[in-house]
Amino acid sequence: MTIASILIALRSLAIAVAIWWIVVLVANVPAYLLPAPDAIASRFVFLAQTAELTKHIRVTLGEIGAGFILGGFLGVAFGWLFVRVPLLGRLLSPLILVLQTAPKIAIAPLLLLWLGLDMGPKITLIAIVTFFPVMAGAAAGFAAVERPYQDLGTLLHLNAWQRFRRIELPFSLPPIFAGLRIASTQAVTAAVIGELMGATYGLGYLLSLGQENGDASVVIVAILVLSTIGWGFHELIRAGERHILSWHASQIGLEARV
Amino acid sequence: MQDALPPKLVCKGLNVSVRQELSRLWPRPLGANRRMITIRGVHKDFSIDGAKVTALSPTDLDVRRGEFVSIIGPSGCGKSTLLRILAGLETASGGSIDVDDGDRARQRVGFVFQEPVLLPWLSALENVRFPLDTARVARTEADSRALDLLKLVGLTGFEAALPRALSGGMRQRVSIARALSYDPSLLLMDEPFGALDLITRDRLNDELLSIWSQTKKTILFVTHSVEEAAYLSDRVVVMSPRPGRIKTVYDVNLPRPRGERTKLDPAFHQLMADLRRDLQ
Ligand SMILES: Nc1ncnc2c1ncn2[C@@H]1O[C@H](COP(=O)(O)OP(=O)(O)OP(=O)(O)O)[C@@H](O)[C@H]1O
Ligand SMILES: [Mg+2]
């Protein structure tokens, strides 16, 4: 991202806020439906000062981080297993297909029943939605490691870990990163859903709190913070991808631009 | 009685015992003409959808230590299969292979594929060093060996370049340097220059010969080019079409070192003509 692109983004944002403000003033929209931007800003400052907002953010970020790492790790591990042990893939693929086609969000109530109202069920849900795209990407990547490269591992007497770490994993990183990028947006959604259904902290909980109290400004603050988190998370993964995959054809050109 | 012994005989006896002593100290003096690979009745069948495909009919071949042997034959006759069996990448369906590799048991053989098979995220230096890194050779030693090899293949100055920044010929030279990095006594090359243009190919052939004479390796070299086979080899093995088997083995008596003069030698052209006829 260059300074210029940030400036362009800021300009569009400023225009959107201005339009919002004008609409609220001109059409005389009641504040309980759509507050003016200054009301949102003061609400944001108030929530930030009481330290409640930072706690909500920290809880949600913690859930996303833990669930994402867990799901990503398991996705890579199972992607590898399914390719290396085809029998396992054949046995588990019907089950996986069922799980994958079921709306993962529908599992949330069950997880809350089983794991309580704490961070556990949210982390689990995030791990589940992260798992599938990462697993699919990893399996595609591992399956595509060409025969001569496997032969190279055999010729050099590499053990299974060395093959994985030195040859198979680096080759599979591009599709794994594609999976991680898809997962990054789904992870934020999963965190919110989990928290909406039952929580004591988190931005999703803040959303439901605002709804219950009929306070649209709290809801909007939560939405803004959540989309910032989603965007930042996605950018973080893009940056990691650019850094790690600088050798890969998909990154050439991007490299030059950044 | 001792005086009665003819002096000549004493002398001869002494000679014999000295020779025995020498051969005890150096069991195989100079290593020359010593057999390194003994292939007996090796064959390979693949099954494709239940149908048996014979890739290689029972094959016998001996290769001496330090010898440069080329294998030539029509496509699909089992050249790669033979090389892959030797490298342990494929198991033979039968027969025996004995590779006498000195005391270094479980030695890794050097193998150069038709494609460079470089790891695209590693620099030229790191690719050459890869076999050493995975064998836990100390970094400084691995680095100095890799640098020497890059110099040997004429790539000094390209240590930090990623494979994608190298030309096809340069990549293939990196791959040769990588195969030499762990100092295998046996180097198997499967059409290593097949994808290159003729000029690059000629240059790499000369480089290969100079590497071979410097490192004293045993080389088995698969090619489709009769010229390449005749130019490089001590012997050329001609294989017949499927199911592949060895048809003829030619001794190449062209003087070494080979060079531009070899290519003007009538014997060179006679050999190429013979090979070409044999291939038809
Ligand atoms: N993995 C495999 N599975 C089934 N059949 C194979 C396999 N590898 C080789 N073959 C068959 O074995 C035969 C010999 O193949 P091989 O690759 O050794 O030929 P080649 O002499 O190296 O040919 P080329 O000059 O085209 O490289 C071919 O008919 C091929 O179809
Ligand atoms: Mg071949």
mmCIF file of all heavy atoms in Angstrom, chain B residues 69-81 83 114 189-196 198 201 205 221-233 236-242 272 275-276 279-280:
data_model
loop_
_atom_site.group_PDB
_atom_site.id
_atom_site.type_symbol
_atom_site.label_atom_id
_atom_site.label_comp_id
_atom_site.label_asym_id
_atom_site.label_seq_id
_atom_site.Cartn_x
_atom_site.Cartn_y
_atom_site.Cartn_z
ATOM 1 N N VAL B 69 29.972 -43.223 -19.441
ATOM 2 C CA VAL B 69 29.170 -44.087 -20.304
ATOM 3 C C VAL B 69 27.897 -43.361 -20.699
ATOM 4 O O VAL B 69 27.197 -42.823 -19.843
ATOM 5 C CB VAL B 69 28.809 -45.407 -19.584
ATOM 6 C CG1 VAL B 69 27.891 -46.253 -20.452
ATOM 7 C CG2 VAL B 69 30.065 -46.177 -19.224
ATOM 8 N N SER B 70 27.628 -43.320 -22.005
ATOM 9 C CA SER B 70 26.375 -42.730 -22.467
ATOM 10 C C SER B 70 25.392 -43.822 -22.826
ATOM 11 O O SER B 70 25.793 -44.896 -23.275
ATOM 12 C CB SER B 70 26.606 -41.856 -23.692
ATOM 13 O OG SER B 70 27.249 -40.678 -23.327
ATOM 14 N N ILE B 71 24.119 -43.537 -22.611
ATOM 15 C CA ILE B 71 23.058 -44.465 -23.007
ATOM 16 C C ILE B 71 22.176 -43.729 -24.002
ATOM 17 O O ILE B 71 21.747 -42.600 -23.747
ATOM 18 C CB ILE B 71 22.231 -44.910 -21.786
ATOM 19 C CG1 ILE B 71 23.147 -45.565 -20.754
ATOM 20 C CG2 ILE B 71 21.129 -45.864 -22.214
ATOM 21 C CD1 ILE B 71 22.454 -45.881 -19.453
ATOM 22 N N ILE B 72 21.953 -44.370 -25.136
ATOM 23 C CA ILE B 72 21.195 -43.710 -26.177
ATOM 24 C C ILE B 72 20.176 -44.711 -26.710
ATOM 25 O O ILE B 72 20.415 -45.914 -26.685
ATOM 26 C CB ILE B 72 22.168 -43.194 -27.272
ATOM 27 C CG1 ILE B 72 21.472 -42.233 -28.217
ATOM 28 C CG2 ILE B 72 22.848 -44.314 -28.021
ATOM 29 C CD1 ILE B 72 22.468 -41.440 -29.056
ATOM 30 N N GLY B 73 19.021 -44.225 -27.113
ATOM 31 C CA GLY B 73 17.998 -45.137 -27.610
ATOM 32 C C GLY B 73 16.703 -44.397 -27.857
ATOM 33 O O GLY B 73 16.531 -43.281 -27.367
ATOM 34 N N PRO B 74 15.803 -45.004 -28.605
ATOM 35 C CA PRO B 74 14.553 -44.308 -28.931
ATOM 36 C C PRO B 74 13.713 -44.031 -27.688
ATOM 37 O O PRO B 74 13.888 -44.673 -26.654
ATOM 38 C CB PRO B 74 13.836 -45.280 -29.872
ATOM 39 C CG PRO B 74 14.494 -46.593 -29.675
ATOM 40 C CD PRO B 74 15.877 -46.331 -29.216
ATOM 41 N N SER B 75 12.816 -43.092 -27.840
ATOM 42 C CA SER B 75 11.978 -42.681 -26.715
ATOM 43 C C SER B 75 11.164 -43.863 -26.180
ATOM 44 O O SER B 75 10.628 -44.653 -26.943
ATOM 45 C CB SER B 75 11.044 -41.564 -27.189
ATOM 46 O OG SER B 75 10.270 -41.139 -26.117
ATOM 47 N N GLY B 76 11.113 -43.981 -24.875
ATOM 48 C CA GLY B 76 10.302 -45.027 -24.252
ATOM 49 C C GLY B 76 10.993 -46.367 -24.142
ATOM 50 O O GLY B 76 10.364 -47.363 -23.817
ATOM 51 N N CYS B 77 12.315 -46.426 -24.399
ATOM 52 C CA CYS B 77 12.985 -47.720 -24.377
ATOM 53 C C CYS B 77 13.510 -48.073 -22.981
ATOM 54 O O CYS B 77 14.074 -49.134 -22.788
ATOM 55 C CB CYS B 77 14.129 -47.757 -25.394
ATOM 56 S SG CYS B 77 15.528 -46.749 -24.940
ATOM 57 N N GLY B 78 13.325 -47.199 -22.019
ATOM 58 C CA GLY B 78 13.666 -47.567 -20.652
ATOM 59 C C GLY B 78 14.957 -46.967 -20.130
ATOM 60 O O GLY B 78 15.468 -47.395 -19.098
ATOM 61 N N LYS B 79 15.465 -45.947 -20.798
ATOM 62 C CA LYS B 79 16.715 -45.321 -20.345
ATOM 63 C C LYS B 79 16.528 -44.679 -18.972
ATOM 64 O O LYS B 79 17.311 -44.908 -18.042
ATOM 65 C CB LYS B 79 17.175 -44.240 -21.346
ATOM 66 C CG LYS B 79 17.287 -44.743 -22.774
ATOM 67 C CD LYS B 79 17.737 -43.665 -23.728
ATOM 68 C CE LYS B 79 16.746 -42.526 -23.890
ATOM 69 N NZ LYS B 79 15.500 -42.922 -24.586
ATOM 70 N N SER B 80 15.475 -43.852 -18.871
ATOM 71 C CA SER B 80 15.214 -43.201 -17.590
ATOM 72 C C SER B 80 14.939 -44.239 -16.516
ATOM 73 O O SER B 80 15.387 -44.100 -15.375
ATOM 74 C CB SER B 80 14.016 -42.267 -17.702
ATOM 75 O OG SER B 80 14.274 -41.253 -18.626
ATOM 76 N N THR B 81 14.206 -45.287 -16.897
ATOM 77 C CA THR B 81 13.871 -46.324 -15.926
ATOM 78 C C THR B 81 15.144 -46.952 -15.361
ATOM 79 O O THR B 81 15.276 -47.133 -14.152
ATOM 80 C CB THR B 81 12.992 -47.398 -16.592
ATOM 81 O OG1 THR B 81 11.842 -46.751 -17.142
ATOM 82 C CG2 THR B 81 12.568 -48.453 -15.606
ATOM 83 N N LEU B 83 18.142 -45.652 -15.195
ATOM 84 C CA LEU B 83 18.834 -44.680 -14.351
ATOM 85 C C LEU B 83 18.127 -44.528 -13.000
ATOM 86 O O LEU B 83 18.773 -44.441 -11.951
ATOM 87 C CB LEU B 83 18.864 -43.321 -15.072
ATOM 88 C CG LEU B 83 20.230 -42.666 -15.215
ATOM 89 C CD1 LEU B 83 21.184 -43.605 -15.900
ATOM 90 C CD2 LEU B 83 20.128 -41.369 -15.998
ATOM 91 N N GLN B 114 16.314 -33.984 -16.343
ATOM 92 C CA GLN B 114 16.184 -33.232 -17.586
ATOM 93 C C GLN B 114 15.858 -31.763 -17.292
ATOM 94 O O GLN B 114 16.344 -30.859 -17.946
ATOM 95 C CB GLN B 114 15.093 -33.859 -18.449
ATOM 96 C CG GLN B 114 14.932 -33.177 -19.788
ATOM 97 C CD GLN B 114 14.143 -34.015 -20.773
ATOM 98 O OE1 GLN B 114 13.639 -35.088 -20.434
ATOM 99 N NE2 GLN B 114 14.041 -33.554 -21.988
ATOM 100 N N MET B 189 22.974 -38.833 -15.101
ATOM 101 C CA MET B 189 22.419 -37.646 -15.758
ATOM 102 C C MET B 189 21.412 -38.083 -16.803
ATOM 103 O O MET B 189 21.745 -38.824 -17.725
ATOM 104 C CB MET B 189 23.550 -36.829 -16.385
ATOM 105 C CG MET B 189 24.663 -36.499 -15.393
ATOM 106 S SD MET B 189 26.028 -35.554 -16.116
ATOM 107 C CE MET B 189 25.433 -33.890 -15.891
ATOM 108 N N ASP B 190 20.179 -37.637 -16.653
ATOM 109 C CA ASP B 190 19.095 -38.038 -17.554
ATOM 110 C C ASP B 190 18.758 -36.897 -18.506
ATOM 111 O O ASP B 190 18.020 -35.992 -18.155
ATOM 112 C CB ASP B 190 17.869 -38.447 -16.737
ATOM 113 C CG ASP B 190 16.839 -39.170 -17.599
ATOM 114 O OD1 ASP B 190 17.070 -39.287 -18.818
ATOM 115 O OD2 ASP B 190 15.819 -39.607 -17.045
ATOM 116 N N GLU B 191 19.315 -36.938 -19.686
ATOM 117 C CA GLU B 191 19.118 -35.883 -20.687
ATOM 118 C C GLU B 191 19.260 -34.494 -20.073
ATOM 119 O O GLU B 191 18.363 -33.665 -20.191
ATOM 120 C CB GLU B 191 17.736 -35.996 -21.326
ATOM 121 C CG GLU B 191 17.535 -37.289 -22.089
ATOM 122 C CD GLU B 191 16.155 -37.330 -22.753
ATOM 123 O OE1 GLU B 191 15.760 -36.299 -23.314
ATOM 124 O OE2 GLU B 191 15.509 -38.376 -22.693
ATOM 125 N N PRO B 192 20.390 -34.232 -19.419
ATOM 126 C CA PRO B 192 20.497 -32.971 -18.680
ATOM 127 C C PRO B 192 20.469 -31.747 -19.589
ATOM 128 O O PRO B 192 20.059 -30.681 -19.160
ATOM 129 C CB PRO B 192 21.845 -33.092 -17.966
ATOM 130 C CG PRO B 192 22.624 -34.051 -18.802
ATOM 131 C CD PRO B 192 21.626 -35.024 -19.340
ATOM 132 N N PHE B 193 20.885 -31.911 -20.844
ATOM 133 C CA PHE B 193 20.958 -30.739 -21.725
ATOM 134 C C PHE B 193 19.910 -30.801 -22.826
ATOM 135 O O PHE B 193 19.966 -30.062 -23.800
ATOM 136 C CB PHE B 193 22.365 -30.615 -22.338
ATOM 137 C CG PHE B 193 23.467 -30.687 -21.308
ATOM 138 C CD1 PHE B 193 24.622 -31.409 -21.550
ATOM 139 C CD2 PHE B 193 23.327 -30.030 -20.095
ATOM 140 C CE1 PHE B 193 25.635 -31.470 -20.595
ATOM 141 C CE2 PHE B 193 24.326 -30.097 -19.135
ATOM 142 C CZ PHE B 193 25.486 -30.822 -19.386
ATOM 143 N N GLY B 194 18.936 -31.708 -22.652
ATOM 144 C CA GLY B 194 17.947 -31.926 -23.695
ATOM 145 C C GLY B 194 17.137 -30.697 -24.045
ATOM 146 O O GLY B 194 16.725 -30.519 -25.182
ATOM 147 N N ALA B 195 16.912 -29.829 -23.040
ATOM 148 C CA ALA B 195 16.030 -28.689 -23.279
ATOM 149 C C ALA B 195 16.796 -27.441 -23.728
ATOM 150 O O ALA B 195 16.213 -26.372 -23.842
ATOM 151 C CB ALA B 195 15.232 -28.392 -22.015
ATOM 152 N N LEU B 196 18.099 -27.602 -23.971
ATOM 153 C CA LEU B 196 18.895 -26.398 -24.242
ATOM 154 C C LEU B 196 19.208 -26.244 -25.729
ATOM 155 O O LEU B 196 19.191 -27.202 -26.489
ATOM 156 C CB LEU B 196 20.217 -26.474 -23.459
ATOM 157 C CG LEU B 196 20.068 -26.651 -21.954
ATOM 158 C CD1 LEU B 196 21.429 -26.747 -21.307
ATOM 159 C CD2 LEU B 196 19.263 -25.518 -21.355
ATOM 160 N N LEU B 198 21.620 -25.528 -29.032
ATOM 161 C CA LEU B 198 22.836 -26.251 -29.381
ATOM 162 C C LEU B 198 24.107 -25.574 -28.884
ATOM 163 O O LEU B 198 25.049 -26.235 -28.462
ATOM 164 C CB LEU B 198 22.915 -26.425 -30.903
ATOM 165 C CG LEU B 198 21.995 -27.536 -31.430
ATOM 166 C CD1 LEU B 198 22.054 -27.613 -32.940
ATOM 167 C CD2 LEU B 198 22.397 -28.877 -30.816
ATOM 168 N N ARG B 201 24.423 -26.067 -25.242
ATOM 169 C CA ARG B 201 24.662 -27.476 -25.053
ATOM 170 C C ARG B 201 26.129 -27.833 -25.298
ATOM 171 O O ARG B 201 26.748 -28.544 -24.511
ATOM 172 C CB ARG B 201 23.757 -28.213 -26.034
ATOM 173 C CG ARG B 201 23.648 -29.668 -25.790
ATOM 174 C CD ARG B 201 22.577 -30.186 -26.726
ATOM 175 N NE ARG B 201 22.408 -31.598 -26.534
ATOM 176 C CZ ARG B 201 21.265 -32.227 -26.754
ATOM 177 N NH1 ARG B 201 20.203 -31.548 -27.136
ATOM 178 N NH2 ARG B 201 21.184 -33.511 -26.577
ATOM 179 N N ASN B 205 28.653 -29.245 -22.547
ATOM 180 C CA ASN B 205 29.345 -30.516 -22.751
ATOM 181 C C ASN B 205 30.826 -30.380 -22.426
ATOM 182 O O ASN B 205 31.405 -31.242 -21.761
ATOM 183 C CB ASN B 205 29.183 -30.975 -24.208
ATOM 184 C CG ASN B 205 27.846 -31.657 -24.437
ATOM 185 O OD1 ASN B 205 27.235 -32.152 -23.500
ATOM 186 N ND2 ASN B 205 27.395 -31.659 -25.669
ATOM 187 N N PHE B 221 25.249 -41.227 -18.573
ATOM 188 C CA PHE B 221 24.682 -40.056 -19.215
ATOM 189 C C PHE B 221 23.676 -40.490 -20.279
ATOM 190 O O PHE B 221 24.044 -41.131 -21.268
ATOM 191 C CB PHE B 221 25.848 -39.277 -19.834
ATOM 192 C CG PHE B 221 25.522 -37.939 -20.409
ATOM 193 C CD1 PHE B 221 25.699 -36.787 -19.659
ATOM 194 C CD2 PHE B 221 25.061 -37.818 -21.717
ATOM 195 C CE1 PHE B 221 25.426 -35.535 -20.196
ATOM 196 C CE2 PHE B 221 24.780 -36.566 -22.255
ATOM 197 C CZ PHE B 221 24.961 -35.424 -21.494
ATOM 198 N N VAL B 222 22.411 -40.165 -20.055
ATOM 199 C CA VAL B 222 21.376 -40.508 -21.041
ATOM 200 C C VAL B 222 21.190 -39.336 -21.987
ATOM 201 O O VAL B 222 21.140 -38.184 -21.558
ATOM 202 C CB VAL B 222 20.037 -40.819 -20.340
ATOM 203 C CG1 VAL B 222 18.906 -40.906 -21.362
ATOM 204 C CG2 VAL B 222 20.137 -42.119 -19.561
ATOM 205 N N THR B 223 21.140 -39.642 -23.280
ATOM 206 C CA THR B 223 20.956 -38.557 -24.250
ATOM 207 C C THR B 223 20.220 -39.072 -25.476
ATOM 208 O O THR B 223 20.129 -40.278 -25.710
ATOM 209 C CB THR B 223 22.312 -37.950 -24.658
ATOM 210 O OG1 THR B 223 22.087 -36.964 -25.656
ATOM 211 C CG2 THR B 223 23.257 -39.006 -25.203
ATOM 212 N N HIS B 224 19.660 -38.163 -26.237
ATOM 213 C CA HIS B 224 19.065 -38.513 -27.529
ATOM 214 C C HIS B 224 19.983 -38.122 -28.678
ATOM 215 O O HIS B 224 19.678 -38.359 -29.831
ATOM 216 C CB HIS B 224 17.717 -37.800 -27.714
ATOM 217 C CG HIS B 224 16.597 -38.538 -27.083
ATOM 218 N ND1 HIS B 224 15.596 -37.914 -26.381
ATOM 219 C CD2 HIS B 224 16.318 -39.850 -27.021
ATOM 220 C CE1 HIS B 224 14.759 -38.824 -25.932
ATOM 221 N NE2 HIS B 224 15.173 -40.003 -26.298
ATOM 222 N N SER B 225 21.093 -37.471 -28.325
ATOM 223 C CA SER B 225 21.957 -36.937 -29.371
ATOM 224 C C SER B 225 23.158 -37.851 -29.590
ATOM 225 O O SER B 225 23.960 -38.069 -28.675
ATOM 226 C CB SER B 225 22.414 -35.528 -28.961
ATOM 227 O OG SER B 225 23.644 -35.222 -29.566
ATOM 228 N N VAL B 226 23.293 -38.390 -30.807
ATOM 229 C CA VAL B 226 24.436 -39.257 -31.099
ATOM 230 C C VAL B 226 25.734 -38.460 -31.014
ATOM 231 O O VAL B 226 26.759 -38.969 -30.579
ATOM 232 C CB VAL B 226 24.330 -39.927 -32.488
ATOM 233 C CG1 VAL B 226 23.260 -40.986 -32.496
ATOM 234 C CG2 VAL B 226 24.075 -38.907 -33.567
ATOM 235 N N GLU B 227 25.672 -37.199 -31.387
ATOM 236 C CA GLU B 227 26.881 -36.381 -31.355
ATOM 237 C C GLU B 227 27.368 -36.216 -29.915
ATOM 238 O O GLU B 227 28.555 -36.393 -29.619
ATOM 239 C CB GLU B 227 26.608 -35.011 -31.978
ATOM 240 C CG GLU B 227 27.858 -34.162 -31.947
ATOM 241 C CD GLU B 227 27.721 -32.852 -32.693
ATOM 242 O OE1 GLU B 227 26.639 -32.593 -33.260
ATOM 243 O OE2 GLU B 227 28.696 -32.085 -32.677
ATOM 244 N N GLU B 228 26.426 -35.880 -29.028
ATOM 245 C CA GLU B 228 26.764 -35.715 -27.621
ATOM 246 C C GLU B 228 27.366 -37.000 -27.061
ATOM 247 O O GLU B 228 28.396 -36.997 -26.386
ATOM 248 C CB GLU B 228 25.492 -35.351 -26.865
ATOM 249 C CG GLU B 228 25.698 -34.631 -25.567
ATOM 250 C CD GLU B 228 24.378 -34.105 -25.027
ATOM 251 O OE1 GLU B 228 23.412 -34.891 -24.914
ATOM 252 O OE2 GLU B 228 24.309 -32.904 -24.739
ATOM 253 N N ALA B 229 26.717 -38.131 -27.371
ATOM 254 C CA ALA B 229 27.181 -39.426 -26.857
ATOM 255 C C ALA B 229 28.599 -39.715 -27.346
ATOM 256 O O ALA B 229 29.475 -40.097 -26.572
ATOM 257 C CB ALA B 229 26.228 -40.525 -27.299
ATOM 258 N N ALA B 230 28.830 -39.505 -28.647
ATOM 259 C CA ALA B 230 30.143 -39.818 -29.211
ATOM 260 C C ALA B 230 31.211 -38.875 -28.656
ATOM 261 O O ALA B 230 32.330 -39.286 -28.377
ATOM 262 C CB ALA B 230 30.087 -39.713 -30.735
ATOM 263 N N TYR B 231 30.836 -37.632 -28.483
ATOM 264 C CA TYR B 231 31.811 -36.618 -28.067
ATOM 265 C C TYR B 231 32.268 -36.828 -26.627
ATOM 266 O O TYR B 231 33.432 -36.640 -26.293
ATOM 267 C CB TYR B 231 31.175 -35.234 -28.229
ATOM 268 C CG TYR B 231 32.095 -34.082 -27.919
ATOM 269 C CD1 TYR B 231 33.193 -33.805 -28.722
ATOM 270 C CD2 TYR B 231 31.852 -33.267 -26.811
ATOM 271 C CE1 TYR B 231 34.034 -32.744 -28.437
ATOM 272 C CE2 TYR B 231 32.685 -32.200 -26.524
ATOM 273 C CZ TYR B 231 33.773 -31.946 -27.342
ATOM 274 O OH TYR B 231 34.598 -30.893 -27.062
ATOM 275 N N LEU B 232 31.321 -37.220 -25.768
ATOM 276 C CA LEU B 232 31.620 -37.248 -24.337
ATOM 277 C C LEU B 232 32.225 -38.561 -23.846
ATOM 278 O O LEU B 232 33.050 -38.566 -22.935
ATOM 279 C CB LEU B 232 30.335 -36.990 -23.533
ATOM 280 C CG LEU B 232 29.657 -35.635 -23.693
ATOM 281 C CD1 LEU B 232 28.311 -35.647 -22.976
ATOM 282 C CD2 LEU B 232 30.535 -34.518 -23.121
ATOM 283 N N SER B 233 31.814 -39.669 -24.457
ATOM 284 C CA SER B 233 31.885 -40.940 -23.728
ATOM 285 C C SER B 233 33.152 -41.742 -23.926
ATOM 286 O O SER B 233 33.880 -41.580 -24.904
ATOM 287 C CB SER B 233 30.710 -41.820 -24.140
ATOM 288 O OG SER B 233 29.563 -41.047 -24.272
ATOM 289 N N VAL B 236 29.530 -46.049 -25.487
ATOM 290 C CA VAL B 236 28.148 -45.673 -25.775
ATOM 291 C C VAL B 236 27.305 -46.940 -25.812
ATOM 292 O O VAL B 236 27.638 -47.889 -26.509
ATOM 293 C CB VAL B 236 28.023 -44.935 -27.129
ATOM 294 C CG1 VAL B 236 26.568 -44.566 -27.390
ATOM 295 C CG2 VAL B 236 28.905 -43.698 -27.148
ATOM 296 N N VAL B 237 26.242 -46.941 -25.000
ATOM 297 C CA VAL B 237 25.324 -48.073 -24.954
ATOM 298 C C VAL B 237 24.115 -47.732 -25.809
ATOM 299 O O VAL B 237 23.460 -46.724 -25.569
ATOM 300 C CB VAL B 237 24.881 -48.358 -23.502
ATOM 301 C CG1 VAL B 237 23.821 -49.449 -23.477
ATOM 302 C CG2 VAL B 237 26.081 -48.725 -22.648
ATOM 303 N N VAL B 238 23.839 -48.534 -26.828
ATOM 304 C CA VAL B 238 22.668 -48.287 -27.671
ATOM 305 C C VAL B 238 21.570 -49.246 -27.252
ATOM 306 O O VAL B 238 21.796 -50.453 -27.134
ATOM 307 C CB VAL B 238 23.002 -48.479 -29.160
ATOM 308 C CG1 VAL B 238 21.754 -48.277 -30.008
ATOM 309 C CG2 VAL B 238 24.092 -47.511 -29.585
ATOM 310 N N MET B 239 20.393 -48.694 -26.982
ATOM 311 C CA MET B 239 19.265 -49.546 -26.590
ATOM 312 C C MET B 239 18.264 -49.649 -27.732
ATOM 313 O O MET B 239 18.126 -48.738 -28.543
ATOM 314 C CB MET B 239 18.600 -48.987 -25.332
ATOM 315 C CG MET B 239 19.506 -49.094 -24.111
ATOM 316 S SD MET B 239 18.762 -48.459 -22.600
ATOM 317 C CE MET B 239 17.527 -49.698 -22.287
ATOM 318 N N SER B 240 17.560 -50.765 -27.772
ATOM 319 C CA SER B 240 16.574 -50.983 -28.831
ATOM 320 C C SER B 240 15.201 -50.547 -28.338
ATOM 321 O O SER B 240 14.983 -50.434 -27.143
ATOM 322 C CB SER B 240 16.552 -52.458 -29.216
ATOM 323 O OG SER B 240 16.065 -53.204 -28.119
ATOM 324 N N PRO B 241 14.263 -50.325 -29.285
ATOM 325 C CA PRO B 241 12.930 -49.855 -28.883
ATOM 326 C C PRO B 241 12.194 -50.858 -28.006
ATOM 327 O O PRO B 241 12.663 -51.977 -27.840
ATOM 328 C CB PRO B 241 12.191 -49.670 -30.209
ATOM 329 C CG PRO B 241 13.198 -49.787 -31.272
ATOM 330 C CD PRO B 241 14.402 -50.441 -30.729
ATOM 331 N N ARG B 242 11.059 -50.439 -27.523
ATOM 332 C CA ARG B 242 10.314 -51.184 -26.524
ATOM 333 C C ARG B 242 10.027 -52.608 -26.969
ATOM 334 O O ARG B 242 9.657 -52.826 -28.116
ATOM 335 C CB ARG B 242 8.981 -50.471 -26.240
ATOM 336 C CG ARG B 242 9.155 -49.060 -25.819
ATOM 337 C CD ARG B 242 7.821 -48.364 -25.729
ATOM 338 N NE ARG B 242 6.896 -49.164 -24.921
ATOM 339 C CZ ARG B 242 5.598 -48.878 -24.827
ATOM 340 N NH1 ARG B 242 5.092 -47.874 -25.489
ATOM 341 N NH2 ARG B 242 4.813 -49.621 -24.080
ATOM 342 N N MET B 272 29.521 -41.621 -35.213
ATOM 343 C CA MET B 272 28.171 -41.057 -35.237
ATOM 344 C C MET B 272 27.310 -41.751 -36.279
ATOM 345 O O MET B 272 26.139 -42.046 -36.033
ATOM 346 C CB MET B 272 28.233 -39.558 -35.523
ATOM 347 C CG MET B 272 28.745 -38.747 -34.343
ATOM 348 S SD MET B 272 28.181 -37.052 -34.392
ATOM 349 C CE MET B 272 28.889 -36.474 -35.891
ATOM 350 N N LEU B 275 26.334 -45.137 -34.961
ATOM 351 C CA LEU B 275 25.305 -45.014 -33.915
ATOM 352 C C LEU B 275 23.947 -44.734 -34.554
ATOM 353 O O LEU B 275 22.929 -45.329 -34.201
ATOM 354 C CB LEU B 275 25.665 -43.883 -32.938
ATOM 355 C CG LEU B 275 26.839 -44.133 -32.006
ATOM 356 C CD1 LEU B 275 27.190 -42.858 -31.251
ATOM 357 C CD2 LEU B 275 26.517 -45.249 -31.022
ATOM 358 N N ARG B 276 23.974 -43.826 -35.514
ATOM 359 C CA ARG B 276 22.718 -43.425 -36.150
ATOM 360 C C ARG B 276 22.080 -44.619 -36.854
ATOM 361 O O ARG B 276 20.882 -44.840 -36.773
ATOM 362 C CB ARG B 276 22.997 -42.291 -37.141
ATOM 363 C CG ARG B 276 21.885 -41.266 -37.184
ATOM 364 C CD ARG B 276 22.315 -39.983 -37.856
ATOM 365 N NE ARG B 276 22.678 -38.943 -36.908
ATOM 366 C CZ ARG B 276 23.774 -38.204 -37.006
ATOM 367 N NH1 ARG B 276 24.622 -38.395 -37.987
ATOM 368 N NH2 ARG B 276 24.009 -37.270 -36.111
ATOM 369 N N LEU B 279 20.562 -47.042 -34.476
ATOM 370 C CA LEU B 279 19.341 -46.578 -33.813
ATOM 371 C C LEU B 279 18.102 -46.810 -34.674
ATOM 372 O O LEU B 279 16.987 -46.749 -34.179
ATOM 373 C CB LEU B 279 19.459 -45.082 -33.488
ATOM 374 C CG LEU B 279 20.220 -44.760 -32.203
ATOM 375 C CD1 LEU B 279 20.495 -43.274 -32.110
ATOM 376 C CD2 LEU B 279 19.428 -45.218 -30.990
ATOM 377 N N GLN B 280 18.335 -47.037 -35.979
ATOM 378 C CA GLN B 280 17.158 -47.157 -36.854
ATOM 379 C C GLN B 280 16.577 -48.566 -36.880
ATOM 380 O O GLN B 280 17.244 -49.511 -36.551
ATOM 381 C CB GLN B 280 17.508 -46.705 -38.268
ATOM 382 C CG GLN B 280 17.346 -45.190 -38.401
ATOM 383 C CD GLN B 280 18.206 -44.598 -39.474
ATOM 384 O OE1 GLN B 280 18.771 -45.320 -40.278
ATOM 385 N NE2 GLN B 280 18.342 -43.282 -39.467
#
